[in-house]
Amino acid sequence: PVFNAPGANANAVKELVLAGLLVASRNIKPALRYVDDLSGDDATIAKAVEAGKKQFAGNELPGRTLGVIGLGAIGVEVCNAALALGMDVVGFDPHMPVQRAWQLSAGVDEAVSIDRLLGQVDMLSVHVPLMDATRNMINAERLALMSDDAVLLNMARGGVVDDAAVVAALDANQLGAYVTDFPNVTTIGHDKVIALPHLGASTAEAEDNCAIMVAETVRDYLENGNVRHSVNFPIANLPRVADTWRLTVANKNVPNMVGQISTILANAGLNIADLLNKSRGDIAYTIVDLDGAADVDVLRSIEEING
């Protein structure tokens, strides 16, 4: 089994998304540059501040619509936090796990497709992994569906957004701003781009959370045979029963595997107190709690099952 730590950095990334929403909405980047370029005595600076502030007038978040693509651990937290700030929120995820659905606020509206979502939102935040299906998910064609003053945020992965298409849309005044945690030669230095140095999970709390989750996950696997947060094995979590011996078997996902295992145990006079069998693609994983210990001969017989 290969484990990861899903959701351990979710709050850190969520907070950075909220920061991006606020920085873009209130024109913080050009405002900072304006102030940094001021000179003279206090009276001169105060006069320049009052004279120049109008050009940085922005928008408040309540009443604006945020679209969120990808409703995993991070996407769900972003949705819920945006609702708490008074935003209207629309989410899209055709593969949303049940666990995340329970965590998502009922106030989040569901979009039937990405294209339909893009036409509804003032701001868009993407939270999907980078794979063939998501590479350049936000491209020139989809950017054209968004409003000319929309704000796009990418705190997910470089490559999910076609940065060249984004810059072209910004230059043509067909997009309001772009906030990204993945700067590159295309985006660095652009007036309408807020580029950050991959700060998403860069908090002391997120690093601690990841370390703790990994340690707990590996310990549960080594001590109990439970598989949680795995990227290649089926999720299998069976509570321990007192006064039992635990046997775990990983095998090919083909018919009659559990039957063969059960037969070997029965022939050895071992009663099954509890059993869990899960599969994922070509891999199956079985947890068996027995009333007695399986000896070396029993284990060898199970190992010799084809697959």
Side-chain angles (χ1 to χ4, degrees):
V2 178
F3 301 107
N4 65 0
N9 64 359
N11 185 71
V13 179
K14 174 204 74 179
E15 289 187 356
L16 195 64
V17 171
L18 297 180
L21 292 173
L22 292 165
V23 169
S25 294
R26 298 301 300 272
N27 296 316
I28 301 297
K29 178 181 175 179
L32 286 171
R33 287 181 172 176
Y34 176 79
V35 171
D36 285 343
D37 290 336
L38 295 179
S39 61
D41 58 22
D42 287 348
T44 301
I45 291 173
K47 184 177 181 179
V49 166
E50 293 304 315
K53 68 181 183 181
K54 293 181 181 179
Q55 61 185 303
F56 307 114
N59 298 290
E60 297 181 16
L61 295 181
R64 306 198 81 198
T65 300
L66 173 68
V68 179
I69 300 176
L71 298 176
I74 297 171
V76 166
E77 289 215 16
V78 169
C79 287
N80 293 344
L83 278 175
L85 290 174
M87 301 187 74
D88 298 321
V89 183
V90 183
F92 175 79
D93 191 333
H95 308 294
M96 185 180 185
V98 174
Q99 175 190 1
R100 302 304 175 200
W102 280 105
Q103 298 167 347
L104 185 67
S105 171
V108 177
D109 292 330
E110 178 188 5
V112 297
S113 69
I114 293 177
D115 291 350
R116 185 71 63 87
L117 178 145
L118 295 180
Q120 299 176 250
V121 303
D122 304 301
M123 313 180 96
L124 174 70
S125 190
V126 293
H127 298 283
V128 297
L130 179 61
M131 57 184 69
D132 289 343
T134 61
R135 188 175 298 278
N136 291 334
M137 168 185 286
I138 305 301
N139 51 29
E141 290 75 15
R142 282 181 164 156
L143 288 169
L145 300 175
M146 301 177 68
S147 61
D148 291 348
D149 60 351
V151 175
L152 171 64
L153 300 95
N154 178 18
M155 306 296 187
R157 288 288 184 272
V160 171
V161 172
D162 184 344
D163 286 342
V166 167
V167 169
L170 292 170
D171 290 341
N173 293 320
Q174 295 173 345
L175 185 67
Y178 179 41
V179 185
T180 178
D181 210 16
F182 309 96
N184 53 41
V185 67
T186 303
T187 56
I188 287 178
H190 196 286
D191 288 342
K192 296 181 180 180
V193 174
I194 301 165
L196 306 171
H198 201 181
L199 294 178
S202 295
T203 68
E205 293 84 354
E207 292 181 2
D208 286 347
N209 290 341
C210 288
I212 291 168
M213 181 179 284
V214 168
E216 290 179 344
T217 299
V218 172
R219 177 176 178 173
D220 193 22
Y221 174 68
L222 295 176
E223 292 185 352
N224 301 308
N226 289 325
V227 178
R228 297 179 296 144
H229 313 311
S230 178
V231 299
N232 64 333
F233 261 54
I235 304 305
N237 185 12
L238 184 66
R240 295 299 294 264
V241 179
D243 301 321
T244 58
W245 298 74
R246 175 154 290 189
L247 171 69
T248 64
V249 184
N251 52 266
K252 290 182 179 179
N253 185 21
V254 294
N256 199 35
M257 279 293 183
V258 175
Q260 293 181 76
I261 295 169
S262 299
T263 298
I264 291 172
L265 296 174
N267 291 339
L270 293 168
N271 183 57
I272 296 175
D274 207 351
L275 182 148
L276 177 70
N277 175 259
K278 295 291 184 178
S279 62
R280 179 175 182 172
D282 295 332
I283 298 175
Y285 187 71
T286 303
I287 303 175
V288 187
D289 284 341
L290 304 168
D291 288 343
D295 61 25
V296 174
D297 290 337
V298 170
L299 298 179
R300 183 175 294 117
S301 296
I302 292 175
E303 289 173 346
E304 290 174 352
I305 296 174
N306 182 30

